Amino acid sequence: MAGEQAFLSTEIVNRGVEASGPDAGSLTFSVRVRRRLPDFLNSVNLKYVKLGYHYLINHAVYLSTIPVLVLVFSAEIGSLRREDLWSKVWEEPPRYDLATVLAFLGALVFTVSVYFMSRPRPVYLVDFACYRPSDELKVSKEEFIELARKSGKFDEASLEFQSKILKFSGLGDETYVPKAIGCPENTATMKEGRAEASTVMFGVLDELFQSCRVRPKDVGILVVNCSLFNPTPSLSAMIVNHYKMRGNILSFNLGGMGCSAGIAALDLAQDMLQANPNNLAVVVSTEIVSYSWYSGNKRSMLLPNCFFRMGCAGMLLSNRRRDSRRSKYRLEHIVRTHKGADDRSFRCVMQEEDDQRLKGLSVSKDLVEVGGHALKANITTLGPLVLPFSEQLLFFASLVWSYLTNKGKGKATKPYIPDYKLAFEHFCMQASSKAILDELQRNLELSDRNMEASRMTLHRFGNTSSSSIWYELAYLEAKGRVKRGDRVWQLAFGSGFKCNSAVWHALRGARPAPHSPWLDCIDRYPVQL
């Protein structure tokens, strides 16, 4: 029972003045009990630590040979007297064995060739753009409830439930929804979905191509991710057709992968850039709100209606070294964690139909706990790749000490918990909901400033699914906080259940882009929530 209580939090809710009954005229309160994120920093799964060090060793195998070569060379030089060394260098004519010289040159050429052939090509983020819908699509929380009421699809209990969710959601009064929301007709149609997809995708790509001064025909790789709307022809085909891209473009369309699909799309684009030198890749991350709109009264399926809003992000990636001079960031690491083998994780976010055969996205009560376990696995794997050596040394020493002191005793000692703020200057946590961001801040021991970009993005644009981490990075740029050499951590999680991380290294101080969605409102932020 004590272990179960560790995952629960309580909240006292003021229910107002009792209108009737024996307690009429008096204040009434209720206690709300809910599950919260597991305290995953207090327990470490060693298999994920081992996986992180495995990644690190694979990428640093050539660096580990440098000390050996230095030692061998030093020993060889140290065995000679100064006079002998001088005579070997200036001896006329030099006496070298031909076979020795050829063997040395062959070994040198082979080593250098293997190094450059196995070395991954750097992947640069030239620039990115985030779509900002027109002001006529802006709605407040009250207007959103009125649109839902005018649609005639929800009973009063469902409207009251949505109103309460919005009140504590962390969303502000300037988020965007499509015009189709609130119509008495069915909005989740292929026609409405294609119309919204065309608006957000073409809008963001027009800005991206213009700011990067790139022609669509120059792009050799295209990756599009959208979880719930997957028409035929695909969204990637819509982009190819609209911009008349070249016939040999490598295009991919990722569907059904949830809010973390944006980083999965980056991972795919990175792999394709490694296999195709001298190339450009475009990644488009979005979610189509009108097509995923739920018009029933099942509460677990009403939650996405309250949180998800219009949004789209487009990124231009390059593996050409000449683009490093004009690029904003270099991709350092991508770490992906998938917990789909567990049935509860697999079913916690699922698209299904209710009793009236109305489709929607069902969110389980286990979401917070499942997400916590996925996060624990992801950050434990990421730690050895990004943490300073001092933190890794302390963490490793604590693990060894715990193993030696508790061997055979059957008890575990709390390990040393690294400080991830020493690894990153900026944090872009997926802007899903206020409750999730609160738990992330508590577990990772982040400051309010660390969480500012995520909270302000949720307030201004709502949960834009896989594109939200890019609105957060745009916020940091608009504030002028990203400096040369800074490292940015983007973290997202979604159905499956998946948790993915991307780490970027700033190549220069990022200035607010002329197409930034924050330009007209950045002076008003941060706001007090």
Side-chain angles (χ1 to χ4, degrees):
M1 184 64 182
E4 179 69 17
Q5 290 176 350
F7 297 121
L8 302 178
S9 63
T10 59
E11 179 184 0
I12 298 178
V13 181
N14 184 355
R15 303 187 64 179
V17 179
E18 188 71 22
S20 59
D23 298 324
S26 61
L27 290 173
T28 58
F29 299 87
S30 63
V31 178
R32 178 184 300 164
V33 180
R34 63 182 184 182
R35 300 188 72 85
R36 68 189 203 184
L37 280 177
D39 194 5
F40 49 83
L41 284 184
N42 286 331
S43 60
V44 177
N45 196 325
L46 293 183
K47 70 177 181 180
Y48 296 115
V49 178
K50 180 180 177 181
L51 183 60
Y53 280 108
H54 177 70
Y55 289 159
L56 183 65
I57 292 172
N58 278 351
H59 288 84
V61 63
Y62 293 103
L63 291 178
S64 63
T65 63
I66 294 177
V68 177
L69 295 175
V70 171
L71 287 175
V72 172
F73 181 76
S74 300
E76 178 66 23
I77 296 299
S79 64
L80 299 175
R81 294 180 303 174
R82 183 178 300 177
E83 294 79 6
D84 296 335
L85 180 62
W86 187 265
S87 63
K88 281 183 174 291
V89 173
W90 296 102
E91 184 179 14
E92 293 290 347
R95 298 175 182 176
Y96 298 112
D97 181 69
L98 181 60
T100 302
V101 173
L102 293 177
F104 173 78
L105 292 177
L108 179 63
V109 172
F110 176 78
T111 303
V112 172
S113 300
V114 170
Y115 172 76
F116 282 104
M117 290 176 62
S118 60
R119 184 184 180 186
R121 296 183 179 89
V123 173
Y124 303 104
L125 175 63
V126 179
D127 203 353
F128 68 97
C130 298
Y131 179 71
R132 178 182 163 180
S134 60
D135 288 343
E136 63 181 3
L137 302 178
K138 190 183 297 184
V139 296
S140 66
K141 293 189 286 289
E142 290 76 12
E143 290 171 339
F144 180 86
I145 296 300
E146 283 304 311
L147 288 175
R149 177 176 282 109
K150 290 179 181 178
S151 70
K153 299 171 182 177
F154 306 101
D155 56 31
E156 284 301 320
S158 296
L159 291 172
E160 183 180 358
F161 173 75
Q162 293 181 77
S163 180
K164 289 181 178 179
I165 293 297
L166 284 172
K167 185 177 181 180
F168 301 101
S169 63
L171 274 71
D173 291 325
E174 295 183 295
T175 59
Y176 302 91
V177 297
K179 284 185 177 180
I181 301 300
C183 296
E185 296 81 12
N186 179 24
T187 61
T189 62
M190 196 68 69
K191 179 180 178 181
E192 293 293 344
R194 283 189 178 276
E196 182 184 344
S198 300
T199 300
V200 298
M201 292 194 309
F202 301 157
V204 79
L205 287 178
D206 287 344
E207 294 178 357
L208 184 66
F209 291 142
Q210 181 180 0
S211 65
C212 296
R213 299 184 297 277
V214 169
R215 300 176 305 166
K217 287 186 178 294
D218 295 333
V219 177
I221 300 165
L222 173 65
V223 183
V224 180
N225 72 269
C226 181
S227 185
L228 296 177
F229 182 58
N230 293 284
T232 301
S234 65
L235 297 178
S236 59
M238 289 174 58
I239 294 175
V240 172
N241 175 262
H242 179 79
Y243 291 101
K244 309 304 178 187
M245 291 179 160
R246 65 197 200 197
N248 63 343
I249 189 172
L250 303 174
S251 65
F252 303 88
N253 199 93
L254 305 182
M257 299 188 72
C259 301
S260 64
I263 297 180
L266 279 176
D267 194 19
L268 175 58
Q270 177 186 228
D271 290 343
M272 297 307 300
L273 286 172
Q274 295 297 337
N276 297 271
N278 196 34
N279 227 318
L280 294 175
V282 165
V283 176
V284 178
S285 297
T286 188
E287 192 59 72
I288 305 305
V289 178
S290 58
Y291 189 76
S292 58
W293 177 259
Y294 172 64
S295 57
N297 294 291
K298 188 176 179 179
R299 293 197 170 185
S300 64
M301 301 172 75
L302 285 170
L303 291 173
N305 283 10
C306 298
F307 289 100
F308 284 102
R309 295 293 184 265
M310 287 182 71
C312 182
M315 292 70 71
L316 179 66
L317 305 174
S318 173
N319 59 8
R320 304 183 303 192
R321 293 191 181 274
R322 65 177 181 271
D323 286 331
S324 63
R325 294 189 296 271
R326 66 175 184 136
S327 297
K328 287 185 173 182
Y329 304 91
R330 182 179 67 245
L331 183 59
E332 294 284 312
H333 306 288
I334 288 181
V335 174
R336 297 170 57 187
T337 303
H338 204 307
K339 307 292 285 186
D342 175 66
D343 289 340
R344 191 171 61 153
S345 299
F346 174 74
R347 298 181 181 279
C348 70
V349 179
M350 180 169 287
Q351 189 179 23
E352 59 185 14
E353 296 174 340
D354 63 9
D355 296 337
Q356 282 72 44
R357 302 187 67 81
L358 297 173
K359 67 176 178 64
L361 194 65
S362 178
V363 179
S364 168
K365 294 180 180 179
D366 297 328
L367 174 64
V368 176
E369 183 181 359
V370 165
H373 291 301
L375 282 166
K376 179 178 71 173
N378 188 267
I379 67 172
T380 307
T381 305
L382 180 67
L385 302 177
V386 298
L387 288 169
F389 180 74
S390 58
E391 289 292 297
Q392 294 193 48
L393 184 62
L394 289 172
F395 178 64
F396 182 74
S398 71
L399 290 179
V400 173
W401 177 254
S402 175
Y403 175 78
L404 294 177
T405 56
N406 299 314
K407 188 176 181 180
K409 297 181 180 180
K411 62 178 181 179
T413 302
K414 178 180 176 181
Y416 173 77
I417 304 304
D419 185 359
Y420 283 85
K421 295 189 293 295
L422 298 176
F424 306 106
E425 286 75 28
H426 308 288
F427 298 81
C428 297
M429 306 294 178
Q430 181 191 322
S432 51
S433 71
K434 179 181 180 297
I436 295 295
L437 293 179
D438 289 344
E439 293 299 326
L440 282 172
Q441 181 175 4
R442 181 183 65 85
N443 273 274
L444 292 174
E445 299 178 354
L446 301 177
S447 66
D448 291 338
R449 186 177 176 86
N450 295 145
M451 299 296 296
E452 182 181 315
S454 300
R455 294 190 188 279
M456 297 306 105
T457 295
L458 180 65
H459 181 272
R460 177 63 180 85
F461 294 99
N463 184 352
T464 60
S465 188
S466 57
S467 63
S468 66
I469 55 178
W470 296 102
Y471 285 85
E472 295 166 22
L473 186 54
Y475 177 88
L476 294 171
E477 291 187 354
K479 282 291 185 182
R481 295 180 183 173
V482 181
K483 309 300 181 184
R484 181 178 181 180
D486 286 357
R487 288 208 286 182
V488 182
W489 181 16
Q490 291 181 320
L491 185 143
F493 46 90
S495 59
F497 194 87
K498 298 179 288 295
C499 179
N500 299 331
S501 290
V503 178
W504 298 93
H505 177 88
L507 299 176
R508 54 187 172 90
R511 299 178 180 177
H515 50 262
S516 173
W518 294 94
L519 278 185
D520 70 329
C521 61
I522 192 62
D523 294 335
R524 294 190 279 117
Y525 285 89
V527 297
Q528 187 68 31
L529 300 178

